[in-house]
Amino acid sequence: MIPEDVQELYTRLLGEELSFEPELGPLVPSETLLELAGGLKALGFQFLVYCASAHFFAEGEQPEVCMTTYRVRRLGRGTVSVAFHLRVPYGTATPSLVPIWAGADWQEREQFDLVGARFEGHPDLRRIMMPEDWEGHPLRRDYPIDTPHFPWR
Amino acid sequence: MSFALSLLTGVVLGSLAMFVAAWSIWWERKFAARLQSRPGPTEVGPIGLLQPLADGLKLMQKEIIIPRAADKLLFVISPAVAAAGTLALFAVIPWSETVGVAGDLNIGLLWIFAVGALLVLPQWVAGWASNNKYALLGAMRSAAQSVSYEVPLLLSGMVPILLAGSFQMDEIVAAQQGGRWFAFWPPGPGALAFGLFYLCSLAEANRIPFDIPEAESELIGGVTTEHTGMIGVVLQLAEYLHTLVTAAVCATLFFGGWEGPGAWFGMEGFLAEGLHWMVLKTLVLFALVFWIRWSWMRYRSDQLLKICWHYLIPASLALLAVTAIWVRLVEGA
Amino acid sequence: MKTLDIGGVSVPAELVKSSWADPWLDIDDYDAESDLMALNMGPQHPSTHGVLRVKLFVDGEICVKCVPYLGYLHRGVEKLCEKLTYVQIPSVVDKNDYVSPMMNELAVCMAFEKLCEIEVPERAQVIRTVVAELQRLASHLLWVGTWGLDMGGAIGGGGTLFLHTFRERELVLDLFEDLTGGRFHYNHHTPGGQRHDLPAGWEASVKQVLTFIEGRLPEYEDMTDNRIFFARTKGVGVIDPVLLMELGVSGPVARASGIDHDLRRDAPYCVYDRVDLRVPVETGGDCYARFLVRMAEMRESIRLVRLLIDSIPPGPVVGAKMVKLPGAVKFKQKEWGSAYSAIESPRGELGTFVIGEPKKASPWRCKIRPPSYHLVSLLPYICPGEMISDIVVILGSLDPILGEVDR
Amino acid sequence: MSRTLPLWDALVATLRNVGRPMVTEPLPWHAARERKDRYRATFALVHNELGEEACIGCKMCEKICPSQVIDVVAGGRKESPVTGKKRGYCDDFTLDLNACLVCELCVQVCPEDAILMLRERTPVGFSREDLVLSMDRLYANEKPEALAWHSGSVFAEIQDPERGLTPPEEDA
């Protein structure tokens, strides 16, 4: 159940009628991401709920991918929350949403630190949870958790 | 009183003061515990009475850690100076007509103001010598606070001087004989002066709500941050003694010193006067400090200074003028 | 009062500033001319509520720039979730927000139930609501006390308030101990229901405790609502509602800035749709407004528990699908699936975003969206321009739990 | 909001607590806190109603333990001297309390109700090894009077409060 104005925005930007649960959201190509985000904010989606990334292994000919999900919300009594995500080859930068939601700053830093998602145009992309000299991104699925790992102390 | 006798009294009273300060910690802990529905110290001795001894023993075993970059001499010496200065304040307190070191010093109250004002120095030096940012901030706050609150403290302390017509502590008490305690008589100026004096004393002794120099939730102990072991204890004990001595000064200046309420009704002997009345009054005023301490939050440093310069100094000036007029017109001095 | 409509919410117009402090202010702290001092507050500091390090650039006592550093309590919970099964995860996430563990379990369990399509029986739903509200009460009680510590010192009036609130919080913990056997890490919720049914006579003791605590709430107001408290909190740390929304801050902090939003009312879960929830909203936006909102929420929680405690329906507390073996709860779909579910924890929206791998018993990715993370991200925007003493008060009024921030 | 904001309210509020009963108790060597029925602290391995060791070495607890503190060495299937039927045995059982979450999951998965939790407090030790419960120590812990309200194999039925409160030995 998504509101009409959001549906309209998605149709205009992504070119097709979308029918999805707001739970999952559509897959957005990275070039329209900023436009879609700006459009959503103009529609009243001021509240950035979270940004989450997940690392997926290669399937067949496809490269390893990193899926980044943003969820935004319109507050108040008629609370509506929609999500959209984008999937890029692992290690490729996606546009950062910091210019649109200030809260994307720490959210994207966390995803960069833990999953290894890269965000282009982020003003301060550095580690936030792990030490600055940490090697690797712990939430990658191939990150070993049962072997000593530099600089484990 | 001969010199030897007053020296002896001084030594006895000085060591007694240290003991009283140690046990006043026990008394405060018990009191605070009851305010907080706790039993307080119970383990060492009956109702925890030997707790200060146990604490002292433990603290003596503790290592005194001196930061490498600290100014070692000043770091170590400042607690001693603070303690010595505070003990010097005890010299002029008249505990009773006969007990006291220099109660007959003719500039008794001036001595208290002067030495009390000096006590900001060891505090500031302790903070500065620690070479710690928190200690430095605490030292700066301490200096600002003490210098500001010195003014209304002096001005409100002038009220009993005007009323008694003397700086001598003995004579101030003597002027209150017969139930003319300055806190109650003349009605008005005396009570207000007591309020002001007490408030400023709290600030001088760094007690809540004015304990910003050592605000442990902001500055982790302020000036005392780096002082460990016995030297830290001495620094804090000096503060305790300062509170105790201000309570004693308040009792002397405003509550008739060693005179008991029996004298109001023409009684004589035990109920009318004696050392015990002075000690009792001091302890009650001291407990009031705890009570306030364990009930109120603390002010911010700028608010603290604002209270002083905006309200307390004008108020104490006005009070002084009113008292002077009272003394001139009513008492015809 | 003038209000502005921002994103469908009316917020007080006077709070909406055109700009907020620049978190990326360029400061050279080695510049001797600048007269700035870099002051490290934490990671071992009495009022950072855990192990947060806040680097402050101060000019005298005024903060110019504030940089929080996280990660001192990072335990890799999200990585653990990838390796553990849906049944095991609730016992691990207990430790995230160690002030309200019930909420953590509830949040992940609800997401797993949504993902794996598990039914939760009626009785379990009501019990979940009751324990959630009791937990909110306990959490806010702790907050009042620790905030008192920030303002009044550990040896001072704050200490007294702290011990008073802990005395009352203890009663709620006793209730939970009666129910689950644990005083802090309960492991009470499980995908599909509750592990423990109510012990005999629990409802009666809950009502007794509520009456007791309700009688003590005015005492905290006596302790706090005075001139000193007012001077320390009124007008201190005013937060712009637009900033709050962009940073994703919800909960009492947002409601104190006039954002009328509460997931319990706006996106009801458990049985909140059955009760008439009154959401306290203040328009001050300062620390004092946050205090008022939390005090009102405590009273509201007491009212909600009173409403629900007598009407707990009979029946099982765990669904028919509840099984207890390690791999028992499985994501059965052949496709990849994901679910997000959020609850209103005492600090704001506590959500779980979970990606399920087909036919596996553990999630592919489990992202926990802690409210405290967003609260800490506020600091660089609101701290500049405040005094050190005020930063301590502001940090306390936000009530971040560092176990949850770092996860 | 117009308030008078009196400061003495706080003084009265603190003084009011002087007359109230104290909430903290004396130190533990004077009086131990009474444990609730469900209070769970330490573990015990128990014998079944026939007097045999109840653990069959199925490794269920080892698998479910979220922090992997349980280590079971299965002893294989042997003929039971009591019943004459074949059943599994456990050769060694180690539980490391150092990392234990006290989540009670091992108790809940056990098909034989062999591992249970006690209301007694976790023993205090001076080294890390003191907190590792070996099989002998676990069997020595078997005290029916100190058993916590357990949620063992009869998990579904135990949701009924009256039934759950009876100790497992009398439950059969």
Side-chain angles (χ1 to χ4, degrees), chain A:
Chain A
M1 199 31 223
I2 43 171
E4 274 176 22
D5 48 356
V6 181
Q7 181 76 49
E8 206 173 292
L9 179 76
Y10 277 143
T11 316
R12 181 161 58 80
L13 287 174
L14 304 174
E16 51 186 302
E17 185 77 19
L18 289 164
S19 64
F20 56 84
E21 291 288 308
E23 206 50 56
L24 298 179
L27 196 64
V28 179
S30 53
E31 51 269 20
T32 54
L33 178 71
L34 275 174
E35 207 178 334
L36 175 73
L40 280 173
K41 194 179 178 190
L43 290 181
F45 288 82
Q46 286 266 342
F47 190 85
L48 179 76
V49 182
Y50 68 86
C51 152
S53 298
H55 169 231
F56 292 90
F57 287 127
E59 268 176 56
E61 295 297 304
Q62 280 189 340
E64 283 184 12
V65 290
C66 188
M67 191 183 86
T68 305
T69 309
Y70 290 92
R71 181 178 301 273
V72 292
R73 178 173 297 157
R74 202 186 281 172
L75 298 184
R77 280 173 191 264
T79 287
V80 179
S81 118
V82 294
F84 50 95
H85 59 243
L86 68 169
R87 193 180 290 170
V88 293
Y90 192 85
T92 321
T94 58
S96 163
L97 291 191
V98 177
I100 297 174
W101 289 285
D105 174 15
W106 276 33
Q107 292 293 310
E108 288 174 356
R109 263 177 79 186
E110 186 193 346
Q111 298 315 315
F112 161 72
D113 185 7
L114 296 180
V115 187
R118 321 241 153 208
F119 298 93
E120 200 173 288
H122 191 287
D124 190 22
L125 198 63
R126 58 193 162 88
R127 290 196 177 272
I128 188 164
M129 300 259 180
M130 313 301 286
E132 277 163 28
D133 56 350
W134 195 266
E135 281 179 11
H137 300 281
L139 280 184
R140 268 184 71 114
R141 288 301 292 214
D142 55 358
Y143 185 89
I145 59 163
D146 47 358
T147 51
H149 201 86
F150 183 82
W152 265 13
R153 289 171 282 254

Side-chain angles (χ1 to χ4, degrees), chain B residues 37 133-134 141 216-217 294 303, chain C residues 38 40 47 61 150 153-154 160:
Chain B
S37 309
K133 287 171 184 171
Y134 287 106
R141 286 180 176 192
E216 70 278 339
S217 63
W294 291 96
Q303 290 164 349
Chain C
N40 271 304
S47 25
E61 284 215 28
D150 290 343
T160 309

Side-chain angles (χ1 to χ4, degrees), chain D residues 3-170:
Chain D
R3 278 180 196 200
T4 46
L5 306 171
L7 269 167
W8 51 83
D9 267 5
L11 294 176
V12 175
T14 46
L15 200 64
R16 215 180 283 156
N17 286 285
V18 172
R20 287 192 180 140
M22 286 178 272
V23 283
T24 44
E25 291 167 17
L27 286 172
W29 51 78
H30 293 162
R33 184 170 178 270
E34 197 186 328
R35 300 290 169 197
K36 300 281 170 72
D37 269 344
R38 302 186 178 188
Y39 186 83
R40 43 182 210 254
T42 190
F43 294 87
L45 284 175
V46 297
H47 294 80
N48 61 13
E49 59 270 25
L50 301 170
E52 271 191 298
E53 292 181 352
C55 180
I56 55 169
C58 67
K59 295 203 174 193
M60 214 59 108
C61 46
E62 189 182 319
K63 275 180 202 138
I64 200 151
C65 183
S67 46
Q68 299 172 359
V69 297
I70 300 179
D71 200 6
V72 182
V73 180
R77 291 176 69 82
K78 282 177 224 150
E79 202 167 283
S80 158
V82 183
T83 57
K85 289 178 193 158
K86 274 203 161 188
R87 54 157 282 191
Y89 282 94
C90 167
D91 269 4
D92 197 13
F93 194 104
T94 317
L95 199 151
D96 186 358
L97 284 178
N98 282 307
C100 179
L101 299 176
V102 206
C103 65
E104 215 183 5
L105 280 172
C106 49
V107 178
Q108 291 174 3
V109 291
C110 186
E112 298 289 319
D113 284 357
I115 183 164
L116 293 171
M117 298 200 79
L118 298 182
R119 287 202 303 275
E120 288 190 354
R121 282 184 297 139
T122 316
V124 179
F126 288 96
S127 68
R128 282 173 177 258
E129 286 72 33
D130 291 346
L131 281 176
V132 179
L133 297 178
S134 63
M135 197 167 171
D136 296 339
R137 288 182 68 187
L138 283 166
Y139 274 115
N141 271 348
E142 182 182 356
K143 290 169 199 144
E145 72 281 358
L147 278 180
W149 180 88
H150 90 303
S151 41
S153 66
V154 280
F155 188 77
E157 293 99 311
I158 220 158
Q159 305 301 327
D160 179 18
E162 278 114 50
R163 234 187 125 170
L165 286 169
T166 54
E169 270 71 16
E170 299 148 26

Side-chain angles (χ1 to χ4, degrees), chain B residues 268-291:
Chain B
E268 282 187 11
F270 181 72
L271 282 172
E273 59 176 33
L275 177 69
H276 51 280
W277 283 114
M278 180 66 185
V279 172
L280 186 71
K281 285 170 193 171
T282 307
L283 283 183
V284 167
L285 286 170
F286 198 39
L288 190 57
V289 179
F290 304 155
W291 188 16

Side-chain angles (χ1 to χ4, degrees), chain C residues 23-54:
Chain C
W24 297 298
L25 188 69
D26 192 17
I27 283 182
D28 178 11
D29 52 315
Y30 295 104
D31 181 7
E33 296 296 305
S34 69
D35 263 358
L36 293 183
M37 179 164 79
L39 187 71
N40 271 304
M41 223 169 93
Q44 304 290 330
H45 188 280
S47 25
T48 48
H49 290 245
V51 279
L52 170 69
R53 174 181 161 213
V54 187

Side-chain angles (χ1 to χ4, degrees), chain C residues 5-22:
Chain C
D5 186 66
I6 289 166
V9 194
S10 0
V11 295
E14 61 195 34
L15 287 188
V16 181
K17 292 175 276 184
S18 56
S19 67
W20 46 73
D22 178 12

Side-chain angles (χ1 to χ4, degrees), chain C residues 19-167:
Chain C
S19 67
W20 46 73
D22 178 12
W24 297 298
L25 188 69
D26 192 17
I27 283 182
D28 178 11
D29 52 315
Y30 295 104
D31 181 7
E33 296 296 305
S34 69
D35 263 358
L36 293 183
M37 179 164 79
L39 187 71
N40 271 304
M41 223 169 93
Q44 304 290 330
H45 188 280
S47 25
T48 48
H49 290 245
V51 279
L52 170 69
R53 174 181 161 213
V54 187
K55 193 173 182 182
L56 300 172
F57 295 92
V58 286
D59 178 8
E61 284 215 28
I62 313 274
C63 172
V64 175
K65 184 189 178 182
C66 161
V67 190
Y69 291 87
L70 315 179
Y72 291 93
L73 217 50
H74 181 58
R75 310 185 294 294
V77 167
E78 290 177 8
K79 188 70 178 172
L80 275 175
C81 290
E82 291 175 3
K83 299 291 168 189
L84 298 176
T85 62
Y86 292 124
V87 182
Q88 292 170 325
I89 288 173
S91 62
V92 173
V93 295
D94 248 357
K95 282 88 189 156
N96 273 0
D97 176 356
Y98 39 73
V99 175
S100 51
M102 286 282 187
M103 296 286 184
N104 296 314
E105 297 173 9
L106 181 57
V108 289
C109 286
M110 278 175 49
F112 297 158
E113 281 150 13
K114 208 165 175 180
L115 182 74
C116 305
E117 290 162 9
I118 303 171
E119 292 270 321
V120 182
E122 184 71 18
R123 182 177 172 84
Q125 296 276 31
V126 183
I127 295 176
R128 278 179 177 195
T129 318
V130 168
V131 294
E133 289 307 317
L134 282 174
Q135 184 70 75
R136 188 183 317 277
L137 182 60
S139 173
H140 282 346
L141 279 175
L142 186 141
W143 171 79
V144 174
T146 50
W147 198 38
L149 282 190
D150 290 343
M151 253 181 301
I155 37 173
T160 309
L161 182 61
F162 175 77
L163 282 156
H164 286 183
T165 57
F166 260 56
R167 182 181 65 197

